[in-house]
Amino acid sequence: MPVPWFLLSLALGRSPVVLSLERLVGPQDATHCSPGLSCRLWDSDILCLPGDIVPAPGPVLAPTHLQTELVLRCQKETDCDLCLRVAVHLAVHGHWEEPEDEEKFGGAADSGVEEPRNASLQAQVVLSFQAYPTARCVLLEVQVPAALVQFGQSVGSVVYDCFEAALGSEVRIWSYTQPRYEKELNHTQQLPALPWLNVSADGDNVHLVLNVSEEQHFGLSLYWNQVQGPPKPRWHKNLVWPLEPDSVRTNICPFREDPRAHQNLWQAARLQLLTLQSWLLDAPCSLPAEAALCWRAPGGDPCQPLVPPLSWENVTVDKVLEFPLLKGHPNLCVQVNSSEKLQLQECLWADSLGPLKDDVLLLETRGPQDNRSLCALEPSGCTSLPSKASTRAARLGEYLLQDLQSGQCLQLWDDDLGALWACPMDKYIHKRWALVWLACLLFAAALSLILLLKKDHAKGWLRLLKQDVRSGAAARGRAALLLYSADDSGFERLVGALASALCQLPLRVAVDLWSRRELSAQGPVAWFHAQRRQTLQEGGVVVLLFSPGAVALCSEWLQDGVSGPGAHGPHDAFRASLSCVLPDFLQGRAPGSYVGACFDRLLHPDAVPALFRTVPVFTLPSQLPDFLGALQQPRAPRSGRLQERAEQVSRALQPALDSYFHPPGTPAPGRGVGPGAGPGAGDGT
């Protein structure tokens, strides 16, 4: 709110004197600093997050003292706001750490270390301002030239214009740097109040005394909190200045039609249960409202107002209200409406009587000549009893009427026009579940009897079913994912021949050679992750086919943790798979799900890294029977045809092996060269 000059004059002292304050023109914040320093204010406020204290890397700028000053920020000549100017004094703290080389050898450090000592210092200084209900944080960038950098010495100050504040308020200011190297500075200041204004109360009478000089001209605005009820007379008497015509008075209620003010009011309102029948509405101020009882059934259905037979009652804030109830019930709730809108709803009796119950509320309506009718309150409406409708209450209507006549229902309200009854439904639900369980038991007993009477037939049927399952599983085959390093095109042809030979067995082989389109679309990492997850979920096996290139790549991963660039193709799934294969081996999940293999004349098994030898590693084709046995289902019996299948795979693989390994004396570039290559690699032995 703009602060006139006369108001500041009266506020800053008990005697009416004028205190000259500096005037700032314009609405924008600004900053300036001591000579020699350069500073800049960020364009917008920042979040007030000091963070933890971190060690200083060397000499840093740190706030040492806060100083404040009252100024005026003026939009126009007579439109000014009270503002708080803040000055932050800075000093250089910390020191350069001596390099380790200089400590060990006593020589001078590298010339590159001397350069930061002669450089300027920069800092980001945060100013945090809090004055109810305002909180702001601004960021100031400060730079100190190297000539002013002296350890432990003040380098000057940076001034911020300015934080708006109100008369009589308490403001708190913090200052720290980002990152924070030291504990933040804090400063608390109480702004001047109005010592010339005295307010006292005597019952409904409020006394307002102004102690100002006779010739002082000023304006005064009073806020009158008018509650419900007839307006009270206001009487005033001029005790200071001569009687003159009174100024124009207005009656302004800015929040009466503001929906946000009403929303804030109802968020602060609460319903309180005093006794079984009495309660009150606790709210900050009075508003027109009305209340009624409603019935809330478990299951999330809306609370249904009990109007009629009950009626809406006007509510007065902080006044005890009563409902003509005979008994309380946890399903009874209170609804409070204002301006034909539901504002509050609370089940006041649930705290003392427990959670909601699965009871049915019966409404009894009494007419002339002792005529009465009953209906059951349901989400779809009130169902007459007895009724042929398809609702739950209609199906149990006869039982509910019997319970009502036998006194098993709880009467909640009674009047000449009707009554309310709460009838329990738990026993009927238990009966229905008991019938369901009984039917299940009878069915199980009948099935057991049939199986006993036809024992031989049942055994034959189970035997056939077991054979069908086994034959289906065998026909479908175990999933196998083949991973290799694409050392060269010849090795890729050798891998393709092995995969084709394995497909002739009851195996479902997946290899990147046959999925180049999917590999290019998804990328090697995504393609391998999907294939590995599917293979292991189906109880399959991952085959690691080691070659000199694969061993080198594994060793590189184990040493550095990452794969450096190499001469590998864009479709090398083995290179992409190491990020997921290694955790399985490091965490002991590989046995039973992984096997290793290598070719006899290309790589010796001992060349495989020790981490991967935690699973069986077979040489091909010399150990083909054992290799094929490891690829079978874990619980599958060893077939007598295993040797026959090994010979079949060996015959299919032999042409590819002959074309890959050259005759003796003829070197093959890139083959047999690498970590642990066999002794005959490259010479045909």
Side-chain angles (χ1 to χ4, degrees):
M1 182 183 70
V3 182
W5 276 92
F6 68 87
L7 188 55
L8 286 175
S9 301
L10 297 174
L12 296 176
R14 188 169 296 275
S15 301
V17 295
V18 176
L19 179 63
S20 177
L21 298 180
E22 182 179 346
R23 297 165 60 92
L24 305 178
V25 180
Q28 300 297 329
D29 295 344
T31 183
H32 56 276
C33 46
S34 301
L37 306 184
S38 60
C39 53
R40 184 179 71 90
L41 172 66
W42 274 40
D43 297 335
S44 59
D45 291 359
I46 63 172
L47 294 177
C48 302
L49 300 174
D52 298 329
I53 297 179
V54 298
V60 294
L61 291 178
T64 59
H65 179 62
L66 292 176
Q67 187 176 358
T68 59
E69 179 186 2
L70 283 175
V71 295
L72 288 178
R73 171 179 285 171
C74 301
Q75 307 287 343
K76 300 178 181 178
E77 182 67 22
T78 60
D79 185 8
C80 300
D81 293 324
L82 186 63
C83 213
L84 194 64
R85 170 184 289 168
V86 181
V88 185
H89 295 266
L90 302 173
V92 179
H93 289 180
H95 58 278
W96 290 110
E97 296 183 358
E98 295 296 334
E100 295 183 1
D101 295 342
E102 185 175 347
E103 294 179 359
K104 291 181 179 179
F105 304 107
D110 192 354
S111 59
V113 180
E114 294 295 335
E115 182 178 353
R117 301 190 179 189
N118 299 326
S120 60
L121 288 183
Q122 294 182 353
Q124 291 184 338
V125 181
V126 178
L127 281 178
S128 175
F129 174 85
Q130 291 186 7
Y132 182 82
T134 304
R136 292 184 58 195
C137 277
V138 297
L139 183 64
L140 311 176
E141 289 187 346
V142 185
Q143 184 172 2
V144 179
L148 298 180
V149 177
Q150 297 182 5
F151 303 126
Q153 299 295 324
S154 175
V155 296
S157 62
V158 57
V159 180
Y160 170 73
D161 288 327
C162 56
F163 293 114
E164 294 186 4
L167 286 171
S169 63
E170 181 183 78
V171 299
R172 296 182 178 182
I173 302 173
W174 289 268
S175 180
Y176 51 89
T177 59
Q178 282 190 344
R180 189 160 64 99
Y181 303 116
E182 298 180 359
K183 186 178 180 181
E184 65 269 16
L185 291 179
N186 64 82
H187 176 75
T188 302
Q189 180 170 348
Q190 183 73 42
L191 296 188
L194 303 175
W196 44 272
L197 177 63
N198 183 23
V199 181
S200 61
D202 182 12
D204 291 338
N205 299 322
V206 179
H207 303 281
L208 175 65
V209 178
L210 302 177
N211 183 17
V212 296
S213 61
E214 295 185 2
E215 298 180 356
Q216 180 69 58
H217 298 280
F218 64 92
L220 179 65
S221 297
L222 297 178
Y223 175 75
W224 179 266
N225 184 12
Q226 175 67 53
V227 298
Q228 286 182 330
K232 298 179 181 180
R234 280 165 284 181
W235 174 86
H236 69 278
K237 182 178 180 181
N238 193 329
L239 301 178
V240 181
W241 53 87
L243 293 178
E244 295 180 359
D246 200 358
S247 59
V248 177
R249 288 175 291 179
T250 59
N251 185 17
I252 303 175
C253 298
F255 307 110
R256 178 172 294 173
E257 304 299 333
D258 188 352
R260 294 174 300 178
H262 286 255
Q263 182 180 3
N264 294 336
L265 167 66
W266 287 111
Q267 287 179 351
R270 294 292 182 269
L271 295 177
Q272 297 181 7
L273 181 65
L274 303 179
T275 64
L276 182 63
Q277 298 176 339
S278 61
W279 59 280
L280 61 81
L281 173 62
D282 183 13
C285 57
S286 298
L287 276 179
E290 53 184 4
L293 286 175
C294 65
W295 179 264
R296 184 179 179 183
D301 293 326
C303 196
Q304 297 174 277
L306 301 180
V307 180
L310 302 178
S311 59
W312 291 96
E313 300 288 343
N314 292 329
V315 178
T316 302
V317 173
D318 296 333
K319 181 179 179 181
V320 178
L321 303 174
E322 292 186 358
F323 281 119
L325 293 175
L326 301 177
K327 297 287 185 180
H329 195 280
N331 294 27
L332 283 176
C333 305
V334 177
Q335 287 183 340
V336 179
N337 285 8
S338 180
S339 302
E340 300 182 354
K341 182 180 179 181
L342 178 63
Q343 301 292 352
L344 284 178
Q345 176 180 299
E346 293 188 25
C347 300
L348 301 178
W349 293 270
D351 293 337
S352 58
L353 301 180
L356 300 179
K357 296 182 178 180
D358 192 14
D359 292 357
V360 172
L361 187 67
L362 300 183
L363 278 66
E364 179 184 351
T365 303
R366 298 167 183 170
Q369 299 179 357
D370 201 18
N371 293 329
R372 69 173 188 169
S373 61
L374 287 170
C375 68
L377 190 63
E378 295 186 288
S380 58
C382 203
T383 305
S384 300
L385 297 181
S387 174
K388 295 182 179 180
S390 59
T391 62
R392 184 181 71 160
R395 290 192 296 267
L396 302 175
E398 296 183 2
Y399 300 103
L400 293 175
L401 293 177
Q402 292 176 6
D403 291 346
L404 180 61
Q405 294 175 0
S406 61
Q408 299 185 33
C409 298
L410 178 66
Q411 188 174 14
L412 304 178
W413 173 75
D414 188 22
D415 191 80
D416 295 337
L417 300 179
L420 295 176
W421 306 82
C423 299
M425 295 287 290
D426 296 341
K427 58 182 180 180
Y428 302 116
I429 297 177
H430 295 162
K431 287 181 180 179
R432 295 177 62 184
W433 280 110
L435 293 175
V436 172
W437 281 112
L438 181 60
C440 293
L441 291 176
L442 290 175
F443 177 76
L447 183 60
S448 301
L449 180 61
I450 294 174
L451 293 177
L452 288 175
L453 293 176
K454 298 183 178 182
K455 183 177 181 181
D456 296 336
H457 296 285
K459 286 184 177 179
W461 177 77
L462 291 176
R463 189 180 302 111
L464 291 176
L465 179 62
K466 186 175 182 180
Q467 292 178 357
D468 291 342
V469 171
R470 286 182 177 177
S471 62
R476 187 166 180 263
R478 191 183 187 188
L481 175 61
L482 190 59
L483 296 177
Y484 67 97
S485 174
D487 292 0
D488 51 44
S489 58
F491 187 74
E492 283 190 327
R493 287 192 295 270
L494 184 58
V495 173
L498 176 62
S500 300
L502 294 177
C503 285
Q504 299 176 10
L505 307 178
L507 289 173
R508 293 180 291 112
V509 180
V511 64
D512 65 340
L513 285 172
W514 302 339
S515 304
R516 288 292 171 86
R517 180 177 300 176
E518 293 83 356
L519 197 68
S520 299
Q522 301 177 15
V525 176
W527 181 86
F528 168 74
H529 277 277
Q531 294 294 328
R532 170 189 167 277
R533 181 174 62 253
Q534 180 180 354
T535 301
L536 297 182
Q537 287 178 351
E538 296 177 357
V541 61
V542 179
V543 180
L544 301 178
L545 190 58
F546 289 99
S547 64
V551 170
L553 191 56
C554 292
S555 301
E556 182 181 352
W557 266 86
L558 293 175
Q559 292 174 3
D560 301 335
V562 295
S563 178
H568 295 273
H571 306 295
D572 192 353
F574 187 85
R575 179 185 179 89
S577 67
L578 287 180
S579 61
C580 196
V581 168
L582 285 176
D584 289 342
F585 281 86
L586 293 173
Q587 298 174 13
R589 299 193 302 263
S593 301
Y594 288 80
V595 296
C598 59
F599 291 104
D600 287 322
R601 290 186 291 172
L602 184 63
L603 186 73
H604 195 276
D606 293 340
V608 176
L611 177 64
F612 296 96
R613 293 203 301 272
T614 56
V615 300
V617 179
F618 304 97
T619 58
L620 305 179
S622 60
Q623 294 181 335
L624 261 176
D626 296 333
F627 176 67
L628 298 181
L631 297 184
Q632 287 185 344
Q633 296 286 351
R635 298 181 181 178
R638 284 298 182 112
S639 173
R641 301 178 55 190
L642 194 59
Q643 184 64 34
E644 179 183 349
R645 292 176 178 175
E647 294 177 356
Q648 179 183 354
V649 173
S650 179
R651 287 194 300 269
L653 190 61
Q654 193 60 43
L657 289 172
D658 294 340
S659 64
Y660 183 76
F661 294 105
H662 287 258
T666 304
R671 300 167 190 166
V673 180
D683 58 2
T685 58

